[in-house]
């Protein structure tokens, strides 16, 4: 009897193994568990962002602004299943403009696919889909308090399809041209170029087009709830572990490296910003600390996979300095990037993507040199990074201008004066965020 | 001396303040209030339209010397009327003018017109 059970167990084991190897690589439970966790963490960043942005606007716009983030969860998630994953990770079509694969439509063809690292492709797709959600949500910070809800929905849908998906394909798909540029590709570990630069630059374009909010910059447009903003930035930091450490699509050394870089960059950025403020204004503000966390995290996003902790810290300090300068310059130039989508995400992303070249770990450089068939220097990579960033900026600017023009013509994007005065909450949602002093 | 109390729409406060400042009136007190007027103001929660029995408004209080009373009233009307002061709508609010017996500045103990 014992023998029979043993035999049966052996046979069963053989059968299961054989079946798994025939169907592709086995599922790696550890890597998959971490990727599912990362997916949830990146989704957590979206309500975090809603709180961060929601606290920064005036109370009559708090719901409308939070809805910009939440609406992106709805619109972009659905679009991702429909065409997003296919356009990003399908094979290049139309000269590599974007990707396409009929099997990916509605994610039909990846139901049972396991990727090389042992992660089910559905998990990878859901993880990547979160980046497509948060990017337009970040962008909306540039033109808070003055866009129609309907126009915004159409805008982010089109922006996702025409700007985000192609960029994502170029940078992260195996046959994307930026992925293959130079010896070992343009480095954009977790989305400095794809996410932060594209969102920041497009946001700036939209902010300039829509014009300043009524009363800006003469009147103070004060944040309604900095407590909510602080909690929001806290959630963003936590979520960023999924954002960066999940981008290794594994659970191992690369994950540990990215996780460490993320932590030290957030902390260093915050400290740097606080110190700058102490010297400049004599007071270290809460919003400044929050901005520093963001600047540090944004800068390390493209670099998390290739830099060591010291490099991450250096990038964070640089980002805080440059972003702080960018915000002061904004006041001088007078454009209304309301919640500093460009000032922090755009500028921080550029700083990170370009200057990471000077902090790349040795093993990566040696690998690149081997691939280049001899030598590969920091300056070679610097050149690649500058070109990739330049392409992302130029593409985002041109396509965003075109999109805004179309949406404004067909659906109207800009709020009327009266709607802006009334606030987004009442004008588009018929609700109020707070019951302040309202006896009923 | 007069005490001018104006009840206006919440979101027109900024505009009214600007108009008052243009007319040379900058000393004002503002509070959030709720009340019942002619206006029916609907809000939507979970698909149900709801008419709050009290509508949120802003109350502005301004103490002025007699010769400034009309200037102040005009400045408020111009900015608080809907459609940029051209055409009013139900809910634009009201202005109350009451005689003001005494004004005292606490710091200097001045009284009367000069304390306004």
């Amino acid at each position: 009897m014992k023998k029979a059970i043993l035999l049966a167990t052996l046979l069963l084991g053989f059968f299961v193994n054989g079946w798994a190897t025939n169907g592709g690589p086995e599922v790696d439970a550890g890597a998959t568990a971490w990727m599912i966790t990362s997916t949830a963490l990146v989704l957590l960043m979206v309500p975090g962002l809603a709180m961060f942005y929601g606290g920064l606007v005036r109370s009559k716009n708090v719901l409308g602004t939070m809805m910009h983030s939440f609406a992106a969860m709805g619109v972009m998630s659905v679009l991702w299943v429909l065409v997003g994953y296919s356009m990003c990770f399908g094979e290049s079509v139309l000269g590599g403009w974007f990707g396409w694969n009929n099997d990916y439509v509605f994610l039909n063809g990846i139901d049972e696919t396991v990727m090389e690292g042992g992660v089910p492709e559905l998990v990878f797709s859901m993880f990547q889909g979160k980046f497509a959600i948060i990017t337009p949500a970040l962008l909306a910070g540039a033109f808070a308090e003055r866009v129609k809800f309907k126009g915004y929905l159409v805008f982010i849908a089109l922006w996702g399809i025409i700007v985000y998906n192609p960029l994502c394909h170029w940078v992260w798909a195996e046959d994307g041209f930026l992925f293959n540029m130079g010896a070992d590709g343009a480095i954009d570990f977790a989305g400095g170029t794809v996410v932060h630069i594209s969102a920041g630059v497009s946001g700036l374009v939209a902010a300039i087009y829509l014009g300043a909010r009524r009363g800006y910059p003469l009147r103070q447009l004060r944040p309604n709830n900095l407590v909510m903003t602080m909690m929001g930035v806290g959630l963003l930091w936590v979520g960023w572990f999924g954002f960066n450490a999940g981008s290794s699509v594994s659970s191992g050394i690369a994950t540990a490296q990215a996780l460490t870089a993320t932590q030290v960059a957030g902390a260093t950025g915050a400290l740097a910003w606080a110190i700058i403020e102490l010297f400049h204004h004599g007071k270290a503000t809460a919003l400044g600390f929050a901005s520093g966390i963001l600047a540090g995290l944004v800068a390390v996003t493209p670099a998390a996979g290739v830099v060591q902790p010291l490099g991450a810290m250096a990038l964070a300090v640089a980002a805080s300095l440059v972003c702080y300068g960018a915000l002061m310059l904004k006041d001088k130039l007078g454009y209304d990037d309301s919640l500093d989508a460009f000032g922090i995400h755009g500028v921080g992303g550029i700083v990170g993507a370009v200057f990471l070249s000077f902090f790349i770990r040795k093993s990566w450089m040696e690998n690149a040199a081997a691939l280049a068939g001899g030598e590969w220097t920091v300056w070679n990579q610097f050149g690649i990074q500058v070109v990739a960033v330049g392409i992302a900026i130029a593409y985002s600017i041109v396509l965003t201008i075109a999109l805004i023009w179309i949406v404004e013509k067909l659906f109207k994007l800009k709020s009327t004066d009266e709607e802006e005065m009334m606030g987004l909450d009442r004008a588009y949602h018929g609700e109020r965020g707070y019951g302040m002093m309202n006896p009923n | 001396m007069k005490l001018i109390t104006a009840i206006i729409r919440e979101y027109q406060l900024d505009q009214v303040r600007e108009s008052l400042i243009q007319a040379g009136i900058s000393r004002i007190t503002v509070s959030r209030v709720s009340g019942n007027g002619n206006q029916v103001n609907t809000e939507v929660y979970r698909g149900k339209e709801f008419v709050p029995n009290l509508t949120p408004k802003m109350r502005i209080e301004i103490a002025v010397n007699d010769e400034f009373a009309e200037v102040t009233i005009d400045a408020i009307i111009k900015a608080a009327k809907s459609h940029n002061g051209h055409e009013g709508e139900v809910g634009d609010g009201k202005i109350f003018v009451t005689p003001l017996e005494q004004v005292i500045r606490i710091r200097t103990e001045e009284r009367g017109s000069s304390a306004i």
Side-chain angles (χ1 to χ4, degrees):
Chain A
M1 187 62 194
K2 261 187 184 170
K3 263 188 187 167
I5 292 173
L6 191 67
L7 188 68
T9 320
L10 278 175
L11 277 176
L12 189 70
F14 179 74
F15 173 75
V16 170
N17 267 336
W19 174 72
T21 33
N22 286 342
E26 249 181 294
V27 170
D28 177 337
T32 303
W34 170 242
M35 290 312 294
I36 291 170
T37 310
S38 291
T39 307
L41 284 171
V42 184
L43 185 68
L44 181 68
M45 294 172 77
V46 185
L49 184 75
M51 290 174 78
F52 180 73
Y53 278 173
L56 285 176
V57 294
R58 288 167 291 172
S59 49
K60 62 183 175 181
N61 295 315
V62 60
L63 290 177
T65 303
M66 292 182 89
M67 277 295 279
H68 287 166
S69 300
F70 278 88
M73 283 206 249
V75 174
M76 305 314 289
S77 294
V78 172
L79 271 180
W80 185 255
V81 172
L82 186 59
V83 295
Y85 186 61
S86 182
M87 286 181 73
C88 290
F89 293 96
E91 292 85 45
S92 287
V93 292
L94 298 178
W97 184 18
F98 52 84
W100 193 259
N101 183 342
N102 282 334
D103 285 346
Y104 291 172
V105 177
F106 288 113
L107 307 182
N108 266 343
I110 58 170
D111 197 29
E112 289 171 3
T113 318
V114 178
M115 298 177 67
E116 238 169 76
V119 177
E121 197 167 350
L122 275 178
V123 174
F124 175 73
S125 167
M126 285 295 101
F127 175 70
Q128 282 293 340
K130 301 298 171 284
F131 289 69
I133 292 173
I134 199 165
T135 309
L138 288 172
L139 191 164
F143 51 66
E145 304 194 290
R146 57 188 185 283
V147 278
K148 282 184 188 285
F149 187 61
K150 209 192 291 173
Y152 171 76
L153 291 182
V154 179
F155 174 75
I156 59 168
L158 294 176
W159 189 88
I161 292 172
I162 296 176
V163 181
Y164 182 85
N165 292 348
L167 267 175
C168 177
H169 180 74
W170 301 347
V171 175
W172 284 332
E174 275 170 15
D175 53 354
F177 81 94
L178 294 175
F179 186 85
N180 293 310
M181 191 181 265
D184 201 8
I187 299 173
D188 187 10
F189 189 68
T193 309
V194 179
V195 175
H196 297 289
I197 296 178
S198 70
V201 171
S202 300
L204 178 65
V205 170
I208 291 172
Y209 168 79
L210 290 170
R213 290 165 289 174
R214 288 171 60 88
Y216 180 89
L218 294 175
R219 211 187 303 134
Q220 266 202 330
L221 304 173
R222 235 182 352 200
N224 80 83
N225 191 343
L226 280 183
V227 174
M228 195 156 88
T229 296
M230 295 307 284
M231 290 169 69
V233 85
L235 289 181
L236 281 170
W237 193 343
V238 171
W240 227 291
F241 287 117
F243 201 81
N244 286 358
S247 289
S248 63
V249 200
S250 63
S251 178
I253 291 291
T255 322
Q257 291 167 338
L259 181 111
T260 310
T262 305
Q263 175 60 22
V264 294
T268 312
L271 279 182
W273 199 293
I275 291 168
I276 296 168
E277 274 192 337
L278 272 174
F279 276 102
H280 194 221
H281 286 300
K283 280 181 184 158
T285 64
L287 181 54
F289 198 84
S291 310
I293 293 175
L294 275 190
L297 291 169
V298 168
V300 85
T301 296
V306 297
V307 297
Q308 294 198 311
L310 185 64
M313 291 165 94
L315 286 178
V317 171
S320 274
L321 269 171
V322 178
C323 291
Y324 192 85
L327 300 201
M328 292 204 310
L329 194 66
K330 172 185 91 165
D331 293 339
K332 288 240 163 66
L333 297 177
Y335 62 85
D336 188 9
D337 173 8
S338 320
L339 311 178
D340 298 312
F342 176 71
I344 293 183
H345 294 278
V347 173
I350 293 168
V351 168
V354 170
F355 293 109
L356 66 81
S357 318
F358 303 107
F359 304 101
I360 302 174
R361 65 166 52 86
K362 221 170 144 202
S363 55
W364 193 96
M365 288 303 283
E366 283 166 2
N367 182 38
L371 287 171
E375 210 184 323
W376 190 255
T377 66
V378 164
W379 291 104
N380 293 138
Q381 190 60 34
F382 181 80
I384 302 282
Q385 294 302 108
V386 171
V387 170
V389 166
I391 289 171
I393 292 176
Y395 184 75
S396 303
I397 290 178
V398 173
L399 271 288
T400 304
I401 291 174
L403 273 183
I404 288 173
W405 187 79
I406 294 169
V407 175
E408 185 69 84
K409 274 266 167 327
L410 297 179
F411 301 92
K412 296 268 181 276
L413 189 60
K414 196 180 160 94
S415 301
T416 64
D417 269 7
E418 207 145 17
E419 287 164 343
E420 194 190 328
M421 254 169 62
M422 201 180 280
L424 309 185
D425 297 8
R426 244 194 85 183
Y428 307 131
H429 307 293
E431 297 165 299
R432 296 162 60 82
Y434 301 102
M436 270 190 301
M437 294 287 293
N438 216 14
N440 59 335
Chain B
M1 295 180 294
K2 295 274 186 284
L3 179 67
I4 297 178
T5 309
I7 309 288
I8 61 162
R9 290 180 195 275
E10 284 179 300
Y11 58 82
Q12 276 172 322
L13 176 66
D14 283 334
Q15 191 163 300
V16 169
R17 269 197 65 204
E18 271 158 29
S19 168
L20 284 167
I21 288 167
Q22 248 172 21
I25 318 279
S26 59
R27 297 167 190 195
I28 71 171
T29 307
V30 177
S31 39
R32 281 180 184 278
V33 292
S34 291
N36 237 359
N38 263 341
Q39 185 190 2
V40 180
N41 171 22
T42 52
E43 292 175 8
V44 189
Y45 295 98
R46 292 209 172 137
K48 267 188 201 147
E49 279 207 2
F50 207 110
V51 184
N53 38 19
L54 296 173
T55 309
K57 294 277 166 187
M58 287 290 178
R59 178 176 61 200
I60 304 176
E61 286 162 303
I62 310 169
V64 290
N65 288 317
D66 291 331
E67 63 268 33
F68 281 103
E70 279 308 314
V71 180
T72 309
I73 292 167
D74 288 345
I76 295 174
I77 291 175
K78 205 169 74 186
K81 209 183 250 189
S82 294
H83 309 290
N84 289 328
H86 296 308
E87 195 187 324
E89 252 177 41
V90 177
D92 283 348
K94 283 201 178 74
I95 300 174
F96 308 111
V97 183
T98 40
L100 187 59
E101 206 166 282
Q102 186 61 282
V103 176
I104 304 149
R105 176 172 283 136
I106 294 175
R107 171 171 52 94
T108 55
E109 296 175 37
E110 280 168 281
R111 285 170 183 247
S113 301
S114 66
I116 277 184

